[in-house]
Amino acid sequence: MTGIENAQYDLSDAQFSLETAIDLLSSINEDSKAPELNNVIQHLVNIKNELASSYDELMNVQNKIEH
């Protein structure tokens, strides 16, 4: 496995972990109604989206290297 593939795996794993945390916090948020929790959830969603973008960029880099 190349360094890029390792990084892609780590980014994918991080996205999954964030998704799990977002789901958990969202279910807690339904009961708590704390506006601060909404901010945390939105921040985590933004981070997850940034990780997905980085993953896609690494895929493009890997494709350029391999071809």
Side-chain angles (χ1 to χ4, degrees), residues 19-32:
E19 187 66 38
T20 302
I22 290 165
D23 289 345
L24 176 63
L25 292 174
S26 293
S27 67
I28 292 169
N29 191 38
E30 291 174 5
D31 297 331
S32 74

Side-chain angles (χ1 to χ4, degrees), residues 20-50:
T20 302
I22 290 165
D23 289 345
L24 176 63
L25 292 174
S26 293
S27 67
I28 292 169
N29 191 38
E30 291 174 5
D31 297 331
S32 74
K33 308 291 190 233
E36 298 85 6
L37 194 50
N38 282 330
N39 293 339
V40 171
I41 293 167
Q42 186 57 50
H43 185 70
L44 293 175
V45 168
N46 291 339
I47 292 170
K48 183 179 165 283
N49 291 337
E50 289 177 25

Side-chain angles (χ1 to χ4, degrees), residues 1-10 55 58 62 66:
M1 192 177 280
T2 68
I4 289 177
E5 289 170 335
N6 283 331
Q8 288 170 325
Y9 177 81
D10 290 343
Y55 181 90
L58 277 177
Q62 184 180 23
E66 290 177 350

